[in-house]
């Protein structure tokens, strides 16, 4: 899931780089402000724990084994902001010292595996914990953290114009789903074991009401689906949509002059068209899930 | 192991090793951006970047074959995607993916192979990386091998207790999950102990590099020359 350098197009790595850089800056300041001084060195040691925990094999089925990724587990034990900071540090170290993931692609990898994964894990836990489904929330958080991170990576590759045949894309999504289920089960098993050792280590999510985070979760989830679907299924219908709206024409004028080399021309409008379609799908699906959520709440009250 | 070799390389002495980590970080970033934004069909440009990197490798006294081989770490993934794009008819992109990803990893290896990790982190901090992130990175790297070793000991102990036997399906996840939980507990307690010990030695929330970073004239000169060469290649001068 670590994207190396050389795969992402300039708008994608630069955009996600800016997003990742500023998010990590904010997180760093927030962690410094909110945590006791002793917590920062502890976070580093817990990052080392994530590396080491990945060495412990879990037997899955038929002789295969998997291992924990750890973003959900860290979220449930350290809290979301410190967990995201630790995962970012893990990714920086992997990119610099182990050449696992690119340096320019670091922003994308941080957004996928540190920010989105932790956010999704946190929100699943928070929403489901409130409704007496604590275990289910942790399982869903672990599973979705892997799914969202991998799906985002695939979507970013798609947006960059890397062609992935539908069969391979389907296979990758299937593998991601399996890995997600495994991560959910492992996260839950480790949390249960931790609670047997000392219940204090597993945090209760703070009862803060911030709808913005919920919106981000849903947006992230939908961006994954929309992006992957857009990248794989129907480039032709999208082309048609973009021509119809006149976006393609405008995009060409916008992009051709400043970036007049082969690659820029190739990317310019599929990228814009895909992003537009993704955003439209996102808005539609967001409206759908908000109304669904309202319906559910009303039913529980009634 | 990979990082051990890199650590050994980074401790050699050469003019490139002696440069300020900030200069090397900025030049590497510039080179990566130049590579990433190069046109897909710019074969001559890629050759020029490769030549530039080869010159730095020779000046730094790193084994050229070793660096070239280690940069191949990215090839399985890049190769798979390149084949897919080739089959989809996008030959230019498939070649570009291979060349760009290989050259980028090569550049990263040159940076890490000529800069000890501690100085790299210090350079990152001076370049404006958030202090808490750098602190987390420093502790992460310092305790990475300690805690990995502990995990390996635990795995060995579990195996000698018979963990390789087939467990009944319902409890199969339980043993490794407990192992991870125990590893968590030990890491957590170790972190507390480490912090106590550091406080006792006067830690004030900041790790100072042993040799303070100094941006001298030769650093600026080297960075300027390298940046000039990269820009000249990228802009086709």
């Amino acid at each position: 899931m670590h994207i190396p350098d050389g795969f992402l197009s300039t708008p994608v790595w630069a955009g996600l780089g800016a997003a990742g850089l500023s998010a990590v800056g904010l997180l760093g300041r927030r962690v410094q402000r909110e945590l006791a001084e002793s917590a920062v060195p502890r976070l580093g040691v817990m990052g080392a724990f994530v590396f080491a925990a990945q060495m412990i094999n879990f037997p899955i089925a038929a002789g295969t084994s998997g291992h924990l990724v750890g973003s959900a587990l860290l979220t449930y034990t350290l809290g979301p902001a410190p967990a995201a900071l630790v995962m970012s540090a893990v990714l920086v170290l992997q990119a610099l010292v182990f050449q696992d993931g690119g340096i320019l692609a670091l922003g994308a990898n941080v957004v996928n595996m540190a920010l989105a994964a932790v956010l999704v894990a946190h929100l699943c836990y928070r929403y489901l914990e409130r409704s007496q489904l604590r275990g289910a929330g942790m399982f869903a958080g672990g599973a979705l953290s892997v799914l969202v991170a991998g799906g985002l990576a695939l979507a970013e590759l798609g947006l960059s114009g890397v062609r992935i045949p539908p069969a391979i894309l389907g296979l990758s999504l299937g593998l991601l789903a399996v890995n997600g289920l495994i991560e959910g089960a492992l996260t839950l098993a480790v949390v249960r074991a931790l609670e047997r050792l000392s219940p204090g280590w597993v945090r209760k999510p703070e009862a803060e009401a911030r709808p913005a985070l919920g919106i981000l979760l849903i947006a992230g989830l939908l961006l994954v689906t929309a992006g992957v679907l857009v990248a794989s299924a129907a480039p032709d219908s999208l082309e048609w949509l973009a021509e119809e709206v006149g976006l393609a024409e405008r995009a060409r004028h916008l992009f051709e002059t400043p970036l007049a080399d082969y690659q820029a021309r190739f990317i310019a409008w599929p990228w814009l068209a895909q992003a537009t379609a993704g955003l439209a799908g996102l808005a539609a699906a967001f409206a759908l899930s908000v109304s669904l959520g309202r319906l559910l709440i009303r039913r529980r009250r009634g | 192991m990979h990082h051990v070799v890199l650590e050994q390389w980074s401790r050699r002495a050469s003019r490139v090793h002696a440069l300020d980590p900030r200069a090397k970080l900025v030049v590497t970033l510039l080179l990566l951006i130049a590579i990433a934004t190069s046109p897909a069909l710019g074969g001559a440009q890629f050759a020029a970047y490769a030549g530039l990197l080869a010159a730095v490798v020779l000046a730094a006294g790193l084994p050229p074959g070793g660096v070239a081989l280690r940069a191949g770490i990215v090839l399985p993934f890049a190769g798979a995607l390149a084949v897919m794009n080739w089959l989809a008819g996008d030959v230019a992109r498939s070649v570009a993916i291979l060349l760009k990803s290989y050259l980028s990893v090569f550049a990263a290896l040159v940076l890490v192979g000529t800069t000890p990790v501690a100085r790299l982190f210090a350079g990152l901090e001076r370049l404006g990386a958030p202090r808490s992130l750098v602190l987390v990175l420093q502790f992460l790297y310092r305790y990475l091998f300690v805690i990995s070793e502990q995990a390996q000991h635990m795995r060995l102990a579990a195996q000698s207790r018979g963990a390789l036997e087939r467990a009944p399906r319902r409890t199969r996840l339980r043993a490794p999950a407990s192992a991870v939980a125990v590893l968590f507990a030990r890491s957590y307690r170790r972190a507390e102990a480490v912090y106590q010990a550091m406080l006792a030695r006067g830690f004030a929330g900041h790790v100072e590099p042993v040799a303070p970073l100094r941006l001298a004239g030769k650093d600026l000169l080297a960075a300027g020359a390298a940046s000039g060469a990269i820009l000249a290649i990228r802009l086709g001068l």
Side-chain angles (χ1 to χ4, degrees):
Chain A
M1 280 198 294
H2 292 69
I3 305 176
D5 278 336
F7 289 63
L8 297 177
S9 63
T10 305
V12 174
W13 68 251
L16 290 171
L21 212 64
S22 41
V24 170
L26 280 176
L27 275 175
R29 230 173 299 155
R30 184 170 163 180
V31 166
Q32 226 159 11
R33 201 175 52 230
E34 289 181 3
L35 289 189
E37 208 186 328
S38 65
V40 178
R42 181 198 297 154
L43 292 183
V45 182
M46 295 322 285
F49 156 75
V50 170
F51 261 86
Q54 296 184 348
M55 291 165 43
I56 296 181
N57 283 321
F58 288 76
I60 303 298
T64 59
S65 60
H67 68 76
L68 195 72
V69 177
S71 38
L73 179 65
L74 279 189
T75 312
Y76 304 151
T77 49
L78 304 180
L85 190 71
V86 171
M87 290 309 288
S88 306
V90 166
L91 290 169
V92 171
L93 196 70
Q94 283 174 331
L96 282 180
V97 181
F98 297 93
Q99 281 75 50
D100 203 359
I103 292 178
L104 288 184
L106 195 54
N109 287 326
V110 162
V111 167
N112 300 345
M113 284 184 276
L115 305 179
V118 166
L119 185 64
V120 165
H122 170 62
L123 287 168
C124 283
Y125 182 36
R126 216 183 79 189
Y127 284 131
L128 290 177
E129 203 251 5
R130 220 182 278 161
S131 41
Q132 311 299 316
L133 291 168
R134 191 155 175 273
M138 286 179 169
F139 179 86
L144 284 179
S145 69
V146 167
L147 254 179
V148 163
L152 275 175
L154 282 175
E156 285 153 18
L157 288 177
L159 285 177
S160 297
V162 174
R163 295 187 188 182
I164 306 170
I168 306 252
L169 193 70
L171 188 70
S172 324
L173 284 176
L175 281 177
L176 262 184
V178 172
N179 277 332
L181 292 179
I182 292 171
E183 177 78 7
L186 297 190
T187 304
L188 194 58
V190 173
V191 165
R192 291 265 150 84
L194 261 182
E195 281 176 330
R196 281 199 300 273
L197 281 180
S198 157
W201 271 324
V202 182
R203 296 161 59 105
K204 270 188 169 294
E206 304 88 22
E208 41 171 4
R210 265 196 282 177
L213 283 179
I215 294 170
L216 269 180
L217 160 69
I218 295 152
L221 276 176
L222 297 172
L223 198 68
V224 173
T225 354
V228 170
L229 286 180
V230 164
S232 66
D236 296 337
S237 59
L238 273 176
E239 250 167 72
W240 174 83
L241 185 75
E243 294 289 349
E244 216 43 28
V245 182
L247 259 178
E249 210 43 49
R250 225 171 292 162
R252 255 182 231 133
H253 284 304
L254 203 73
F255 276 86
E256 204 155 38
T257 19
L259 297 168
D261 60 25
Y262 166 79
Q263 210 189 2
R265 240 179 298 145
F266 180 78
I267 290 161
W269 85 258
W271 174 73
L272 210 72
Q274 287 173 358
T276 317
L279 281 175
L282 213 144
F286 174 62
L288 190 78
S289 44
V290 165
S291 39
L292 213 84
R294 283 217 177 127
L295 204 75
L296 279 175
I297 290 172
R298 210 173 290 163
R299 192 169 286 174
R300 213 197 301 154
R301 275 192 197 139
Chain B
M1 275 164 90
H2 186 61
H3 62 267
V4 176
V5 175
L6 285 180
E7 281 262 314
Q8 283 164 351
W9 285 354
S10 73
R11 285 175 194 176
R12 294 184 179 183
S14 79
R15 283 192 184 164
V16 184
H17 285 78
L19 289 175
D20 189 281
R22 280 167 288 182
K24 285 185 270 190
L25 272 166
V26 169
V27 170
T28 307
L29 204 60
L30 189 69
L31 177 61
L32 289 177
I33 292 175
I35 292 173
T37 56
S38 288
L41 292 172
Q45 280 197 22
F46 291 129
Y49 296 134
L52 199 65
L53 283 169
V56 178
V57 165
L58 290 179
L62 300 180
V67 182
L69 218 63
R70 276 171 199 282
I73 196 175
V74 76
L75 287 183
F77 187 35
L81 279 182
V83 166
M84 280 184 227
N85 282 270
W86 189 295
L87 292 180
D90 196 351
V91 179
R93 181 177 294 273
S94 92
V95 173
I97 282 180
L98 272 181
L99 283 176
K100 286 183 178 183
S101 56
Y102 184 78
L103 283 177
S104 304
V105 173
F106 200 104
L109 276 174
V110 171
L111 172 67
V112 183
T114 59
T115 320
V117 174
R119 290 183 72 76
L120 204 59
F121 291 159
L124 276 180
E125 181 168 17
R126 289 294 199 78
L127 283 176
R131 185 195 264 199
S132 52
L133 180 73
V134 175
L135 207 54
V136 171
L137 272 171
Q138 284 163 333
F139 278 85
L140 176 49
Y141 192 67
R142 188 164 302 173
Y143 286 95
L144 184 55
F145 307 106
V146 175
I147 292 182
S148 297
E149 195 106 311
Q150 191 156 41
Q152 253 153 8
H153 289 167
M154 286 171 62
R155 187 161 68 179
L156 202 64
Q159 278 172 359
S160 54
R161 285 195 305 266
L164 292 176
E165 307 285 317
R166 260 183 82 84
R169 180 165 292 174
R170 292 195 54 177
T171 58
R172 204 183 286 170
L173 282 186
R174 213 176 141 140
S178 305
V180 173
V182 169
L183 190 64
F184 182 97
R186 289 186 177 164
S187 312
Y188 207 89
R189 289 187 188 125
R190 187 187 292 273
E192 303 284 323
V194 164
Y195 182 64
Q196 298 290 331
M198 289 177 59
L199 273 190
R201 290 174 199 145
F203 175 66
H206 183 68
V207 179
E208 284 292 334
V210 178
L213 303 189
R214 255 189 221 107
L215 210 53
K218 66 178 170 66
D219 299 315
L220 296 177
L221 202 69
S227 311
I230 293 166
L231 284 178
I233 297 172
R234 176 67 191 88
L235 302 176
L237 298 178

